[in-house]
Amino acid sequence: MSASSHQAELSSVRSLLEELRGRVEAIAVRYQGTPDSAVAAELFEADRALTSAGRTIDRALTALSELAGSQ
């Protein structure tokens, strides 16, 4: 597989991560300030983890782009 096909696949994964992050955040907001706020706290933690994963994939995409450019 070439770097460009990996870039395309990772871009797709990145988009899915962002969609999931938004969905998790929306649920967390609904539980914020309720008696079940512990659920919100856990979901906000998951939101942060998904955000971090997205940033990591962004860095990998940048590295792949640089790799493709040097070939």
Side-chain angles (χ1 to χ4, degrees), residues 19-62:
E19 180 186 338
L20 289 172
R21 192 211 57 75
R23 291 168 68 182
V24 168
E25 180 186 37
I27 296 168
V29 167
R30 284 184 234 144
Y31 281 95
Q32 195 173 25
T34 71
D36 296 320
S37 62
V39 172
E42 294 298 333
L43 290 173
F44 281 126
E45 181 62 32
D47 176 44
R48 286 188 290 277
L50 290 168
T51 298
S52 178
R55 289 180 184 143
T56 302
I57 289 176
D58 287 343
R59 289 191 299 273
L61 283 166
T62 298

